[in-house]
Amino acid sequence: MKKTIKNYCFNATQSKINELHEITKRYTSVKNEVFQRYGSVSGLQYLSYPRQIRDEWVKTKHAKKFGLQARYWKQAMEESFFTIESNWSNRFSRVKKNIYKNKNYTKDEKYYAFYLIKATDLLHKVLTFQSFNLPEIFKEKDIRRDKIHKYLKNRIRKYTGKKPHQYKQRSFMIDEGMYDVDIDNNNRLWLSVMGLIPRQRIRLLMTSKESLSGNIRIVLKGNRVEVHQTTEIETKDFIKGEARAIDKGFSEVITSSSGRKYGEQFNQLLKTESDRLSVKNKNRNKIRGLLKKYEERGDIVKTEIIKKHNLGKKKYFQQKEFNLNEIKQFINLSLNQFITEEKPAVLVTEDLAFTNWNKRFSKRVKRYFSSWLKGYLQERINYKTMLNGVQQVVVNSAYSSQVCYLCGLFGIRKGDKFYCDIHRVLNADYNAAVNILARMSDPGIGVYTPYRKVKDILQERLRLSNQDSRYSVQTGQSESERAEYV
Ligand SMILES: [Zn+2]
């Protein structure tokens, strides 16, 4: 499984951004020169050892014209050769298929053709009409060399398209020696990237604290700087543990059917950010009103000042993204904690798309986060279960937070408490999680059982259990009496 981790730069100065753009431009021109020179048949002779071009460029000082530090143009060269190589390997596999199927050639002749495809410097000679000695191992064999050479020329020409070319100047790759990372006293992560001038690195503040390693790609989108890191991750074998269900906690990220809660104070985090956004947006609206007044009056100076200093979008969006990343990290940390601590073999969840979280969030939190949060949480749960070899089961969660997991009675959920007439007060999230877990093996309630039918089934079960008189149901407790047990 391959995964690209994106990280973002926070508030880079214009001069740093300009320098990054300049590096991108020069880096791309190296790539295009490599494509232009070695992107077709002429590159074949170097395919087995591309480094000889590098050495050549150093020796002849050819690379000087790009105005990049050596590591940069070497990296660009390596990247474009990687593209060239994979283009060739696509062509070769198509040609090989043709040879396999062809009935005009003997076994030895086919073997000779495959041999040439592998020995790319010989193949280059074939394609450019140069003569060469027949390799030793074929000396004793009866091979129609001209025929094979002609066939290879014809096939390879057929599958060779245009030389590659990089049109967009948008990104460049750097290896571990070209950057370093450090954390400052305020616990912020800084990335220092090799610049155009030796020993003067470009220092960038990152929005996430997740550290970087290996090859990373700097991606520029206008004045936005992103850092991408691709990592190959292995999915683990299915772990052998118990089944667990999770529910979105009333104030935490999740509550497990084990009773443990992960990501406490999560709702507080959401509230803080939505309150901040609300105030910010209110102010911006006020300023917009003011701006309109000045515009109507034709006060150009004042409108320009307001636009520039009070309604700038850059800082506003950067802060928003920074805070959103914190929220994301919080969610990921909580889910990781859950998986490493409980090691569930099966994870049972409700279908978040149909889940109503109205009661768990204030109006403001809902306005800013509710639709985003569900999608994100769902995606993260899918991802992390797959990564850790946890089998995921989605169940019908209708009424799972409205019936008591101990006796099946319908109760009342209020905040993080659940009130059952027999069992008085339970933790509402825990109650729901246990009910969700039970749905996995419920014989009567499947994923597609309609909401109303679920209620009928639950009531019928209750009726039957009352007949058994296993439970004596007491009713008529007042709200204040219940509160005593909180
Ligand atoms: Zn109960």
Side-chain angles (χ1 to χ4, degrees), residues 108-125:
D108 285 339
E109 284 170 337
K110 285 184 184 183
Y111 179 40
Y112 177 63
F114 289 138
Y115 182 93
L116 290 179
I117 288 172
K118 216 164 178 200
T120 43
D121 45 338
L122 291 186
L123 185 65
H124 177 253
K125 290 197 159 86

Side-chain angles (χ1 to χ4, degrees), residues 18-34 57-58 61-77 79 171-174 178 193-198 202:
N18 291 347
E19 188 172 352
L20 291 171
H21 271 291
E22 191 56 36
I23 293 171
T24 314
K25 207 172 116 191
R26 298 182 191 181
Y27 185 95
T28 310
S29 71
V30 177
K31 280 182 76 176
N32 282 333
E33 174 142 347
V34 175
W57 281 23
V58 173
K61 299 196 165 57
H62 177 76
K64 272 214 146 65
K65 67 170 184 177
F66 298 111
L68 280 170
Q69 296 203 56
R71 292 192 85 128
Y72 265 120
W73 69 256
K74 285 174 184 171
Q75 187 70 34
M77 177 177 264
E79 200 188 327
S171 72
F172 59 88
M173 179 106 100
I174 50 179
M178 298 163 79
V193 176
M194 179 185 264
L196 289 169
I197 304 157
I202 307 163

Side-chain angles (χ1 to χ4, degrees), residues 147-271:
K147 243 185 146 177
I148 298 287
H149 291 182
K150 209 176 157 190
Y151 181 76
L152 281 175
K153 264 183 264 182
N154 172 298
R155 288 291 99 179
I156 286 173
R157 200 175 303 132
K158 193 180 166 200
Y159 297 133
T160 304
K162 271 190 201 162
K163 285 177 190 167
H165 187 86
Q166 177 83 44
Y167 289 97
K168 278 186 189 152
Q169 300 178 352
R170 232 183 55 146
S171 72
F172 59 88
M173 179 106 100
I174 50 179
D175 67 27
E176 258 179 334
M178 298 163 79
Y179 69 87
D180 41 352
V181 284
D182 65 281
I183 290 170
D184 70 7
N185 292 335
N186 295 318
N187 203 22
R188 296 179 305 180
L189 184 79
W190 291 84
L191 169 72
S192 304
V193 176
M194 179 185 264
L196 289 169
I197 304 157
R199 287 175 297 280
Q200 279 188 29
R201 297 209 159 182
I202 307 163
R203 214 164 133 75
L204 304 161
L205 175 59
M206 308 306 296
T207 58
S208 145
K209 274 171 253 170
E210 216 161 305
S211 198
L212 301 156
S213 62
N215 283 7
I216 57 172
R217 185 175 285 282
I218 307 291
V219 181
L220 300 170
K221 294 177 178 168
N223 273 348
R224 230 167 96 113
V225 185
E226 297 183 3
V227 179
H228 296 189
Q229 185 177 9
T230 314
T231 46
E232 185 69 48
I233 38 174
E234 268 178 55
T235 54
K236 290 178 191 151
D237 291 337
F238 280 97
I239 40 182
K240 288 171 188 71
E242 288 173 57
R244 288 276 191 266
I246 51 169
D247 187 31
K248 161 75 185 75
F250 180 72
S251 54
E252 304 80 17
V253 176
I254 50 165
T255 298
S256 161
S257 55
S258 69
R260 300 182 61 175
K261 292 165 181 285
Y262 299 89
E264 278 169 54
Q265 301 293 313
F266 180 57
N267 279 22
Q268 187 54 46
L269 186 71
L270 292 176
K271 189 179 173 298

Side-chain angles (χ1 to χ4, degrees), residues 404-409 418 420-424 426:
C404 173
Y405 82 94
L406 289 166
C407 63
L409 270 186
F418 177 83
C420 163
D421 282 332
I422 293 173
H423 298 96
R424 308 287 170 94
L426 303 169

